[in-house]
Amino acid sequence: MDADKIVIKPLLTEKSNRLREVHKYAFHVDARANKIQIKAAIEELFDVHPISCTVLNVKRKPKRVRYRKGYTSSWKKAIVTLPPNETIGIFEGA
Amino acid sequence: MIKEKSIEHLENAAVKLTVTIGQEAIREEYDELLKSYAQTAQIKGFRKGHVPPNILERKFGESMKFETSQKVLEDSLKEIFDEIEEKPLPYSQPSLEGELEFDLEKDFTYAVKYDVYPEVKLGEYKALEIEAPQVSVTKDDEERELKALQDQNAIVMEKDEGVVETGDVVTVDYCEMDGDGNETPDTRREDFVFTQGSGYNLYKIDDDVIGMKAGEDKVIDKEFPDDFENKDLAGTSKKLKITVKAIKQRQLPDLDDELAQDISEKYETLADLKADIRKRLDDTVDGRLREHKVNALVEKVVATSKVPVPESMVAAELDSAWQNFLRQFGGQEEQVLAMLQAQGRTREDVHADWRPGAVTRIQGRLVVHKLVEIEEIEVTDEEINADLEKQATSESVTREQAREYYERNNMMDYLRREIRERKLFDALIEGSKVKKGKKISFLDLLQKNQ
């Protein structure tokens, strides 16, 4: 799998913003990718050297539009820990 | 917040203003804007008011910088314009010169260009020599006016008997006939009314109807010369059938006291009417001559003065002329433009045509304004009252009503200005040498000033 297919988008939220203090960066990734692939992809895309990667599946949530019931899509979130001296530009607001 | 400013005078009363604003002031302004955005911005993933500034900056940085630059620019301009003497003209929008270079870490410099009230350098304006035509109202002019009044009061009477005579109003049917003496229906006109001798008819049958009775018909052969005004008929000959249906006679009223009384209750006798006509003509001549003198004077002063005309003034003048033009045609702008296009002209061409006139008018006004200032002409309340009184009499209302009218329409200033200018012109004419020009007749004078 290609690196840009694995990493779908960075997660920019209040929570992920706070995580930066401990050098962690969150991404929305392809649900089929594993930690090793994600680490490699981040390394390739952002030119950094991830120390570790944790992943979790965000469960689908029930959703209703009028009387039609359905679910939001489930997706995979990955949190990558970088060494303290490395950052990822798109999170820093540069 | 303004660190530096310099004003540079350009041609035609234009001014270039260069302003430098300190970097700290800009930073401050920017941070303030950022803070206000941070409080209200809603971005997905963040609660309202919890968006960190760096995220905001990343998303809206460029537009915020632009906004800051605009705000700084506007605020500083306002501050400067409040301070400086030479304010921009109301219709002169300051326009930016060159590109804006905005950097949060640097001082911000910009330049604007605008027009200020032009400095008028008056030339000679005292004891000028002008030429005014000599006009005298003659007996003929009087007669003409009287005749016009008589005409207006003419009665049109049906003439049952008798024949068409010069000046009668006739009602006719007419049509062309072909060689066999049959009528050509397409050319048939019924109940056509015209005044004999006026020539207001297609075939010019004025002379042919003379002597005809009401109800009579007549077939005539009419030959049209090659230079006949109607192109279709020129050089042809037609057989025409004319039927006179009715004859009306214009009866001119006799020139007597009764006519005078009919025209207005003001007059008792014909002599009154005549005297009034005379007075009116004299007044017209005086007014026209005065106008002529004033124009000549102003023109002279302008010629010797240095009057820079700001571009924005010309633009405003042209625009108002254009609006007038539109109103005259009573049409929408698109229609008028389409019409001009049919003549192969555009709005710009028209404006270019008007331009010299507009410049002259503006110069005249500027000079008059300056003269009023220099001569320190003041208007007293009595003068205003006297003027109101005069207007009130001519409109047959009371002075208070006239005053109320002016006050309600915010026209007191206007009146004041008018009186002031009148006084100025009086003084100017008084102080100038009026050379007698060539003699012209009353009619020529009327035409000349139109």
Side-chain angles (χ1 to χ4, degrees):
Chain A
M1 259 214 261
D2 292 339
D4 56 344
K5 289 262 168 57
I6 293 173
V7 179
I8 295 172
K9 63 181 179 193
L11 272 185
L12 264 176
T13 63
E14 262 185 83
K15 193 173 181 179
S16 76
N17 210 44
R18 296 237 322 257
L19 277 178
R20 282 195 340 205
E21 289 164 17
V22 288
H23 316 297
K24 288 179 176 173
Y25 296 83
F27 294 89
H28 178 181
V29 296
D30 193 304
R32 289 164 294 183
N34 62 34
K35 290 178 180 179
I36 296 155
Q37 286 171 317
I38 294 167
K39 258 161 78 174
I42 297 287
E43 182 163 356
E44 186 186 334
L45 286 174
F46 301 105
D47 199 15
V48 290
H49 307 90
I51 297 168
S52 71
C53 172
T54 52
V55 293
L56 58 112
N57 280 309
V58 180
K59 299 252 161 43
R60 63 181 193 171
K61 309 248 172 355
K63 189 173 172 86
R64 201 188 61 180
V65 180
R66 272 283 180 110
Y67 305 112
R68 308 185 68 138
K69 283 183 183 162
Y71 295 94
T72 62
S73 313
S74 63
W75 51 281
K76 187 175 264 187
K77 189 198 285 189
I79 298 171
V80 179
T81 311
L82 298 185
N85 56 349
E86 287 180 358
T87 57
I88 293 178
I90 47 173
F91 285 90
E92 303 300 328
Chain B
M1 78 198 229
I2 294 156
K3 211 171 173 187
E4 240 177 78
K5 66 168 189 250
S6 67
I7 294 175
E8 190 186 338
H9 286 266
L10 307 169
E11 246 173 67
N12 285 340
V15 159
K16 186 176 169 188
L17 172 73
T18 312
V19 183
T20 305
I21 291 161
Q23 184 255 329
E24 315 84 63
I26 287 170
R27 191 79 230 189
E28 210 172 285
E29 202 68 49
Y30 180 74
D31 286 346
E32 209 159 285
L33 188 74
L34 194 62
K35 225 157 92 189
S36 78
Y37 263 100
Q39 270 166 17
T40 51
Q42 288 192 355
I43 293 178
K44 226 176 166 186
F46 297 91
R47 287 168 295 160
K48 195 176 173 183
H50 287 264
V51 185
N54 59 347
I55 303 278
L56 264 185
E57 251 181 331
R58 197 169 76 100
K59 271 200 130 116
F60 306 117
E62 280 312 305
S63 61
M64 275 197 302
K65 271 187 199 159
F66 181 72
E67 209 179 313
T68 313
S69 71
Q70 292 301 314
K71 188 159 184 297
V72 167
L73 209 152
E74 267 168 43
D75 287 354
S76 58
L77 267 189
K78 195 161 167 279
E79 199 180 314
I80 292 171
F81 288 155
D82 280 347
E83 271 173 23
I84 55 170
E85 295 278 309
E86 287 182 305
K87 299 193 191 317
L89 295 170
Y91 31 77
S92 163
Q93 198 64 34
S95 63
L96 268 181
E97 283 280 287
E99 292 288 303
L100 275 186
E101 260 181 57
F102 189 77
D103 192 331
L104 287 173
E105 309 306 327
K106 281 190 204 147
D107 287 356
F108 176 45
T109 306
Y110 65 90
V112 288
K113 215 168 108 179
Y114 54 87
D115 293 338
V116 293
Y117 194 85
E119 181 75 27
V120 176
K121 280 213 186 72
L122 281 181
E124 200 52 52
Y125 67 96
K126 276 177 181 155
L128 290 176
E129 204 170 88
I130 48 169
E131 209 177 74
Q134 279 183 296
V135 186
S136 49
V137 179
T138 59
K139 203 95 191 147
D140 287 349
D141 300 321
E142 245 175 85
E143 297 271 301
R144 193 171 44 240
E145 287 290 309
L146 200 57
K147 187 104 195 322
L149 278 178
Q150 199 185 3
D151 249 14
Q152 277 167 24
N153 285 279
I155 312 161
V156 179
M157 295 242 296
E158 194 93 18
K159 210 152 108 179
D160 294 332
E161 303 206 339
V163 294
V164 179
E165 284 169 44
T166 313
D168 283 354
V169 179
V170 285
T171 310
V172 293
D173 291 351
Y174 60 77
C175 75
E176 283 178 27
M177 301 183 83
D178 58 21
D180 304 329
N182 295 318
E183 292 182 5
T184 324
D186 288 351
T187 60
R188 190 164 177 80
R189 271 298 292 271
E190 283 185 8
D191 293 332
F192 181 74
V193 182
F194 72 99
T195 307
Q196 196 281 332
S198 67
Y200 286 133
N201 55 72
L202 183 59
Y203 299 103
K204 297 281 171 287
I205 45 176
D206 297 61
D207 294 336
D208 301 293
V209 292
I210 280 205
M212 285 173 76
K213 280 199 203 106
E216 189 183 329
D217 47 352
K218 185 166 151 188
V219 176
I220 55 164
D221 288 312
K222 191 99 176 138
E223 270 187 40
F224 298 99
D226 286 337
D227 55 352
F228 192 68
E229 58 185 75
N230 187 329
K231 291 266 155 55
D232 292 339
L233 292 175
T236 62
S237 75
K238 295 269 186 228
K239 207 185 252 289
L240 290 175
K241 183 178 170 185
I242 308 169
T243 313
V244 174
K245 286 178 116 177
I247 310 169
K248 288 186 188 126
Q249 193 177 24
R250 279 171 77 83
Q251 252 182 0
L252 291 181
D254 291 336
L255 284 173
D256 54 13
D257 295 353
E258 212 170 300
L259 174 69
Q261 283 163 13
D262 273 354
I263 289 169
S264 167
E265 290 161 6
K266 275 195 294 191
Y267 314 120
E268 289 216 347
T269 63
L270 188 62
D272 288 347
L273 176 63
K274 276 186 176 164
D276 198 61
I277 288 176
R278 177 90 206 186
K279 189 169 161 295
R280 215 175 58 216
L281 291 178
D282 282 344
D283 283 352
T284 316
V285 169
D286 284 350
R288 286 293 165 109
L289 278 184
R290 188 189 150 86
E291 217 173 280
H292 180 86
K293 282 182 203 161
V294 167
N295 285 344
L297 273 173
V298 172
E299 205 175 299
K300 276 242 156 119
V301 181
V302 169
T304 56
S305 305
K306 256 194 172 161
V307 193
V309 179
E311 196 50 40
S312 57
M313 264 189 176
V314 180
E317 176 78 19
L318 284 177
D319 192 55
S320 85
W322 177 250
Q323 294 301 335
N324 266 335
F325 182 67
L326 288 185
R327 218 168 306 139
Q328 260 175 30
F329 278 93
Q332 299 298 313
E333 182 149 12
E334 294 98 62
Q335 290 171 1
V336 176
L337 282 178
M339 209 171 67
L340 283 177
Q341 203 164 31
Q343 296 169 12
R345 285 153 64 85
T346 63
R347 195 168 97 158
E348 282 65 38
D349 291 343
V350 178
H351 276 201
D353 280 358
W354 289 345
R355 204 186 164 79
V359 171
T360 318
R361 278 201 298 280
I362 293 169
Q363 283 180 327
R365 275 208 298 266
L366 288 173
V367 161
V368 168
H369 192 91
K370 185 78 181 172
L371 282 173
V372 169
E373 213 175 278
I374 285 189
E375 292 286 291
E376 289 174 355
I377 290 170
E378 290 301 326
V379 179
T380 60
D381 283 348
E382 285 102 71
E383 279 165 329
I384 291 184
N385 279 339
D387 210 72
L388 283 174
E389 185 85 55
K390 213 163 87 190
Q391 299 215 4
T393 342
S394 71
E395 303 284 332
S396 52
V397 289
T398 63
R399 196 175 79 193
E400 275 64 39
Q401 277 172 318
R403 176 180 276 276
E404 206 186 293
Y405 172 76
Y406 272 99
E407 271 168 1
R408 200 178 44 225
N409 293 317
N410 282 334
M411 278 161 60
M412 274 322 243
D413 274 346
Y414 180 73
L415 184 68
R416 211 176 276 267
R417 206 170 62 208
E418 209 177 82
I419 299 176
R420 207 171 332 181
E421 284 180 8
R422 197 166 58 215
K423 279 174 77 174
L424 170 76
F425 292 143
D426 282 341
L428 277 184
I429 293 176
E430 188 93 344
S432 64
K433 245 194 277 169
V434 179
K435 213 168 61 182
K436 281 178 184 165
K438 57 174 184 269
K439 284 188 182 173
I440 59 172
S441 76
F442 177 69
L443 281 183
D444 284 343
L445 179 73
L446 282 193
Q447 254 153 28
K448 191 171 165 187
N449 271 353
Q450 258 159 19

